[in-house]
Amino acid sequence: MYTYAEYYKLCRESHNTSNQKLDLYDLKMHVCRPDEESELFTFPENYSELIESVSQKVDAKVNDKSQHYRDPSANGYDIAIQIKEIWDLPELNEIADHILPCLEQTVFGSHIHCSAIHAYRNIPTDVPRISSWLWHYDNNPKEAVKLLLYLTDVEEDTGPFELLEQDGDYVKMETSRTGYDHWLPPYIPQSRIPKHMIGNLIMQGYEETKIVGPKGTALFFDNNIIHKANIPTHSYRDVVIFNIKPTLNKLSSYISKEYTGSWGHKSPIMDPAQTTPRLK
């Protein structure tokens, strides 16, 4: 088996590209709204229609309890509604088929494997903040990053993604997971950032920044930057997240049950060459 760095190097060596705009290891947070241009990727011409269709279908799944996934780590708290089935949303395939090839050229310099897709709704609630609703980093391998799409209009009070920012820079934590030979617990327990550390960063000039934007806003980021989700004070926020990493060979489809997991699957995958989702 390879470490992630070894495998990514092999992937890049076998994939020729002359259009790389950003080194994957330099990625922090890249935000692109539907009416903006990005040097890293473009949206499909019918992107607004695709997002609207996904939004409506996710809304229908939220209202169908048989489509919900119950996360054991939530300890019984209803802090979000996670959608179990995502493979019956062909719009996601169309979006991925347009954006991910761009990222192969401009950022990865290799083929991409979409290892998992997570769709969920943040809802107003008074339950204790847990899991992703606390300041944290994901402690994933550096080569495994995320693309998050807002499926609803997101404002300050509807549960936006939040991070610490200073003059366009963000705090990136060191991962303790680099591959089969180095898969350790996070350096900070459960990778949840203690309050005193957040306070120190704020004293250094970092600001708590919420990312707002219209439906379809895209966040492409290294999930080892310090970030958190927020609980809406009214309405709700729907999102879909693509978990992506390099792969040596081009897969037959970016999204399929053969290659793509969801809430009921393990993530991240310790072996970077593994493309088959594994159940929890």
Side-chain angles (χ1 to χ4, degrees):
M1 290 203 301
Y2 298 97
T3 66
Y4 264 82
E6 291 169 344
Y7 185 72
Y8 181 41
K9 181 180 179 181
L10 186 65
C11 293
R12 285 182 295 174
E13 289 174 346
S14 65
H15 185 277
N16 293 323
T17 179
S18 59
N19 195 34
Q20 197 159 354
K21 306 293 185 182
L22 177 70
D23 189 313
L24 177 61
Y25 292 122
D26 292 334
L27 174 66
K28 290 187 179 178
M29 169 59 72
H30 180 86
V31 180
C32 186
R33 296 172 178 84
D35 59 348
E36 298 174 345
E37 292 186 0
S38 166
E39 67 173 352
L40 301 184
F41 59 85
T42 59
F43 294 115
E45 289 186 3
N46 60 338
Y47 182 65
S48 295
E49 290 81 5
L50 293 171
I51 286 293
E52 183 60 36
S53 181
V54 174
S55 176
Q56 292 179 9
K57 290 181 179 180
V58 167
D59 182 67
K61 288 175 180 289
V62 166
N63 291 300
D64 178 0
K65 289 188 176 181
S66 70
Q67 287 289 319
H68 297 183
Y69 174 77
R70 296 293 296 180
D71 187 350
S73 67
N75 299 319
Y77 296 138
D78 288 324
I79 200 166
I81 298 173
Q82 299 169 332
I83 303 305
K84 182 166 51 178
E85 293 285 335
I86 49 85
W87 302 278
D88 58 349
L89 300 173
E91 299 88 347
L92 296 182
N93 294 67
E94 193 168 343
I95 292 170
D97 286 348
H98 194 94
I99 294 179
L100 298 194
C102 295
L103 296 177
E104 287 178 336
Q105 293 296 317
T106 61
V107 180
F108 279 82
S110 74
H111 295 300
I112 284 177
H113 171 214
C114 182
S115 61
I117 290 181
H118 297 128
Y120 66 95
R121 171 172 291 180
N122 285 6
I123 56 176
T125 179
D126 293 327
V127 304
R129 274 55 170 168
I130 59 170
S131 185
S132 296
W133 286 260
L134 298 172
W135 286 111
H136 70 285
Y137 63 105
D138 290 2
N139 197 40
N140 280 342
K142 294 178 181 179
E143 297 78 8
V145 299
K146 292 185 176 180
L147 174 69
L148 182 153
L149 306 180
Y150 284 164
L151 299 180
T152 52
D153 294 333
V154 177
E155 301 175 355
E156 289 270 339
D157 55 0
T158 54
F161 186 104
E162 188 171 3
L163 36 66
L164 296 173
E165 180 180 8
Q166 183 182 54
D167 299 325
D169 194 19
Y170 309 93
V171 184
K172 184 186 290 192
M173 303 298 293
E174 189 65 32
T175 181
S176 64
R177 293 173 170 176
T178 60
Y180 70 94
D181 63 342
H182 194 264
W183 204 263
L184 304 174
Y187 302 121
I188 296 176
Q190 298 181 323
S191 72
R192 268 50 195 173
I193 310 299
K195 290 182 179 179
H196 75 270
M197 183 173 174
I198 297 298
N200 287 339
L201 289 168
I202 291 174
M203 289 181 63
Q204 294 172 30
Y206 284 93
E207 297 181 351
E208 298 169 302
T209 303
K210 295 178 178 179
I211 299 180
V212 300
K215 183 184 300 185
T217 295
L219 286 61
F220 178 53
F221 61 101
D222 183 322
N223 46 84
N224 290 321
I225 60 173
I226 296 177
H227 64 281
K228 70 172 181 174
N230 277 285
I231 295 177
T233 56
H234 82 278
S235 191
Y236 54 84
R237 184 198 73 162
D238 290 349
V239 301
V240 61
I241 301 176
F242 298 78
N243 295 261
I244 51 182
K245 63 183 183 68
T247 189
L248 182 59
N249 299 308
K250 183 176 177 60
L251 303 177
S252 60
S253 175
Y254 285 109
I255 300 173
S256 70
K257 281 192 173 182
E258 183 180 358
Y259 302 124
T260 309
S262 193
W263 292 110
H265 297 85
K266 295 180 179 179
S267 180
I269 299 171
M270 186 182 300
D271 179 0
Q274 178 72 34
T275 57
T276 304
R278 297 181 297 173
L279 292 172
K280 290 181 178 177

